[in-house]
Amino acid sequence: MQHSELILVLDFGSQYTQLIARRVRELGVYSEIHPFNLSIEKIRKLKPKGIVLSGGPSSVYAPDAPHSSQELFSLGIPILGICYGLQMIAYQLGGQVDTSARHEYGFAEVLIDNTSDLFAGLNGPMKEGRMTIPVWMSHGDALTKLPRGFEPIAHTNNSPICAIRNVEKKIYGVQFHPEVVHTVQGKEILRNFVFTICGCRGEWNAGSIIDEKVEEIRTAVGSNNVICALSGGVDSSVLAVLLHKAIDDRLFCIHINNGLMRKDESEKVVRLYRDSYHFNLDHVDASDLFLDRLKDIIDPEQKRKIIGKAFIDIFEQEAKKMSTVKFLAQGTLYPDVIESASSKGPSHTIKTHHNVGGLPEKMNFKLIEPFRELFKDEVRAVGRELGLPEEFITRHPFPGPGLAVRIMSDITKEKLRIVREADEIFTEEIRKAGLYESLWQAFAVLLPVQTVGVMGDQRTYDNVVALRAVRSLDGMTADWAQLPHELLARTSSRIVNEVRGVNRVVYDISSKPPSTIEWE
Ligand code: XMP
């Protein structure tokens, strides 16, 4: 898809690269990430209004360090180098980078030497006759000699040159990270680059792409039919509604109840999509098959494999009934796309979740992936624009293998009942407290231990439920949520009283890393 304004981000392997693109998009300008070695020819074709060189873990002088092409700097396109990106500019244009005497990690105070263009409109206390702003640093090397034609525009007590510019060539660099929230005025700095320096107008937003996507889908699909696995999660819900807008009753949705979903989840999906939206919806209750195949299985990886395989088997069987279907729609998101692209570049792939892994190759479907360019919060924006009920849009993420990864032992109907009811109570209390939307996820886990309790005059020997609630921006890192004690107390008391088989509730106070969000 051709966007009228694009800010191109070249990835040198920073863990924050995605954040750069997200911040730019939040400013209303479409932004895309490509590997650092994207050819000049391709860059020209993309016609970016500006280029951001990301940070990265290397030292510019290391033997295998990623380098940009010299030509990049004579294209006449404005450039902003961040951290390693700044050092790259210096390295390529004749400056000098050395290992700093003191590494800077975390908060630093930057003194702004020039408050025009890149740093215009910032606020901060004055020190030594300069405005100061708090920033986030993460670097070992530092710039020690300016490249020719450049001037310094900021410094810290450790780095005499912390930001540079060449106004004539429109090349800028900062040692700190404006894209992370800890650099409080970072967004203002990016705004100055994108609007003042690159001259963007900022007319992009996720919702505004609906009409173009609808057209794109219609053109790709022609008069064919499309199949879509509809779990009821945010991505598949928004995907189905968008497809329905584009091709109406040539969309065939399959909803598979694997028996591992949250309370009443499957029923809600069917009610909304079949009864209210009148989609062609094939609702398959395969709970028994899934539970049969999972019998006595304890190992989480084995559980995941069995569930994935069973899903494909059933999907395949249902899809065969619709022999006229040529296309499969998937809710692949931008982070999956960039992760796989940059595995060729310096970024390390962390984890990719594929929605319907293996299906397209196995069944000869052609793929439709309208969200390949979008981040999760942007998919939510599309969903809102399409009028999907808020409950489906703000729903916490839920793993594909469902409650199977929240039962720390073999899976039985009885255990599913316990974890489901406990989960429902916790969610209800969080909603009542008005906290649901501020949390990334909140859920219950059933532990494989029984402990002694006393209820009435009776000694009990029953199950332990662990509650987990986390705050996170993208699921990659997460902090455990410091929920109010009254809320935890009420939830614990309700679970013990209302869920048969539980006599103890604990709260998980681990962050990610070192823990993960799910227990398995
Ligand atoms: P972890 O547990 O790795 O989870 O910190 C990060 C995010 O991913 C979700 N998750 C999954 N999603 N299939 C999925 O579709 C899975 O197997 C899976 N495991 C974890 C998890 O809920 C969290 O939001």
Side-chain angles (χ1 to χ4, degrees):
M1 192 160 143
Q2 192 68 41
H3 298 271
S4 63
E5 289 182 336
L6 166 74
I7 294 290
L8 174 65
V9 179
L10 293 179
D11 178 23
F12 287 87
S14 165
Q15 54 180 324
Y16 303 131
T17 303
Q18 285 193 28
L19 280 181
I20 304 173
R22 286 176 63 156
R23 295 286 168 267
V24 172
R25 289 187 187 190
E26 281 164 20
L27 293 169
V29 177
Y30 182 72
S31 175
E32 233 172 64
I33 300 168
H34 287 266
F36 70 96
N37 52 3
L38 186 72
S39 72
I40 293 293
E41 192 192 333
K42 286 196 179 137
I43 293 178
R44 280 211 179 93
K45 253 197 200 145
L46 286 169
K47 298 200 184 105
K49 300 284 263 184
I51 299 174
V52 181
L53 311 180
S54 85
S58 313
S59 166
V60 279
Y61 297 113
D64 51 356
H67 290 161
S68 57
S69 131
Q70 191 78 28
E71 247 190 295
L72 189 69
F73 301 98
S74 44
L75 290 173
I77 301 170
I79 290 177
L80 172 66
I82 294 176
C83 195
Y84 182 85
L86 160 85
Q87 295 164 15
M88 192 69 245
I89 294 171
Y91 173 85
Q92 294 279 20
L93 301 180
Q96 171 106 20
V97 177
D98 287 305
T99 306
S100 320
R102 282 179 59 187
H103 292 193
E104 288 180 303
Y105 293 106
F107 277 108
E109 185 181 58
V110 165
L111 291 90
I112 307 288
D113 300 321
N114 187 315
T115 51
S116 64
D117 59 10
L118 192 62
F119 296 139
L122 303 187
N123 295 302
M126 300 297 282
K127 196 171 169 183
E128 299 160 18
R130 301 272 193 270
M131 179 199 293
T132 62
I133 58 163
V135 302
W136 187 256
M137 293 275 198
S138 171
H139 68 113
D141 290 359
L143 202 64
T144 48
K145 184 174 148 250
L146 283 169
R148 197 156 349 117
F150 281 76
E151 58 177 319
I153 51 173
H155 69 277
T156 69
N157 286 337
N158 291 317
S159 320
I161 311 172
C162 174
I164 60 170
R165 72 172 181 186
N166 178 329
V167 177
E168 192 194 330
K169 291 199 155 148
K170 295 194 176 180
I171 301 177
Y172 295 74
V174 290
Q175 184 58 72
F176 56 87
H177 289 274
E179 70 276 26
V180 305
V181 286
H182 309 290
T183 300
V184 182
Q185 298 178 73
K187 203 158 167 187
E188 290 313 308
I189 297 171
L190 291 173
R191 188 192 301 278
N192 287 334
F193 177 68
V194 168
F195 292 104
T196 314
I197 297 166
C198 301
C200 291
R201 294 184 307 275
E203 289 161 356
W204 185 87
N205 71 62
S208 72
I209 63 166
I210 292 174
D211 290 343
E212 289 165 68
K213 286 285 161 199
V214 163
E215 263 327 293
E216 222 174 75
I217 293 167
R218 284 186 186 146
T219 312
V221 170
S223 58
N224 287 297
N225 295 331
V226 178
I227 202 168
C228 166
L230 179 57
S231 67
V234 180
D235 305 339
S236 72
S237 296
V238 181
L239 176 66
V241 176
L242 178 71
L243 284 161
H244 192 253
K245 186 176 166 71
I247 57 169
D248 210 337
D249 59 1
R250 279 184 289 121
L251 170 69
F252 292 87
C253 294
I254 300 182
H255 174 70
I256 299 173
N257 180 1
N258 58 11
L260 305 164
M261 305 182 84
R262 289 166 285 194
K263 195 159 183 221
D264 301 329
E265 194 163 10
S266 223
E267 292 76 4
K268 279 186 192 162
V269 170
V270 176
R271 225 177 293 141
L272 179 70
Y273 294 100
R274 191 151 67 197
D275 305 342
S276 302
Y277 281 180
H278 306 294
F279 282 14
N280 292 318
L281 178 70
D282 178 17
H283 172 218
V284 190
D285 185 356
S287 321
D288 288 343
L289 181 137
F290 276 87
L291 295 191
D292 263 4
R293 291 197 191 175
L294 285 167
K295 195 168 181 309
D296 298 330
I297 304 292
I298 295 170
D299 176 62
E301 275 314 301
Q302 228 182 323
K303 283 181 187 169
R304 280 177 211 267
K305 280 202 184 105
I306 291 173
I307 294 165
K309 167 90 172 48
F311 183 85
I312 290 183
D313 288 348
I314 294 169
F315 193 89
E316 213 177 349
Q317 181 189 310
E318 293 302 308
K320 268 191 193 138
K321 295 182 195 159
M322 309 172 199
S323 57
T324 54
V325 178
K326 294 221 167 30
F327 288 85
L328 171 74
Q330 281 198 338
T332 314
L333 299 185
Y334 195 45
D336 302 328
V337 179
I338 341 171
E339 272 173 15
S340 35
S342 57
S343 61
K344 288 179 229 123
S347 269
H348 300 291
T349 301
I350 300 171
K351 184 153 115 182
T352 323
H353 296 304
H354 283 289
N355 295 348
V356 198
L359 271 174
E361 299 90 45
K362 213 172 163 198
M363 298 194 59
N364 263 331
F365 280 128
K366 284 191 192 153
L367 269 185
I368 296 268
E369 297 176 307
F371 302 151
R372 280 177 72 82
E373 294 165 340
L374 301 187
F375 290 111
K376 191 156 195 113
D377 43 348
E378 295 169 344
V379 171
R380 289 201 166 104
V382 172
R384 278 202 181 94
E385 198 71 22
L386 288 167
L388 205 69
E390 203 58 19
E391 189 195 340
F392 278 79
I393 289 172
T394 53
R395 198 109 214 237
H396 288 166
F398 188 60
L403 297 176
V405 293
R406 294 181 181 169
I407 293 174
M408 301 296 104
S409 55
D410 64 311
I411 296 171
T412 63
K413 281 195 173 157
E414 175 61 4
K415 289 179 190 174
L416 281 164
R417 175 191 64 77
I418 293 176
V419 78
R420 209 170 257 146
E421 287 179 8
D423 188 77
E424 176 76 1
I425 290 172
F426 191 27
T427 305
E428 236 174 67
E429 289 300 330
I430 283 173
R431 278 195 194 276
K432 263 196 248 162
L435 292 173
Y436 187 83
E437 264 117 66
S438 69
L439 297 172
W440 172 263
Q441 266 174 311
F443 55 86
V445 178
L446 180 62
L447 305 192
V449 273
Q450 278 82 45
T451 68
V452 174
V454 52
M455 286 167 110
D457 287 333
Q458 294 283 320
R459 176 187 183 278
T460 58
Y461 189 59
D462 261 336
N463 294 291
V464 184
V465 160
L467 301 178
R468 178 114 171 103
V470 296
R471 296 183 199 280
S472 171
L473 284 175
D474 51 15
M476 295 293 195
T477 60
D479 289 328
W480 63 275
Q482 307 209 6
L483 296 180
H485 287 181
E486 310 78 65
L487 164 62
L488 290 171
R490 221 173 17 255
T491 307
S492 159
S493 147
R494 277 194 62 194
I495 290 177
V496 171
N497 285 314
E498 296 173 32
V499 184
R500 198 174 10 93
V502 179
N503 68 355
R504 192 177 295 269
V505 176
V506 295
Y507 188 57
D508 182 350
I509 52 168
S510 344
S511 290
K512 172 184 179 177
S515 302
T516 50
I517 297 176
E518 302 290 343
W519 276 43
E520 279 189 352

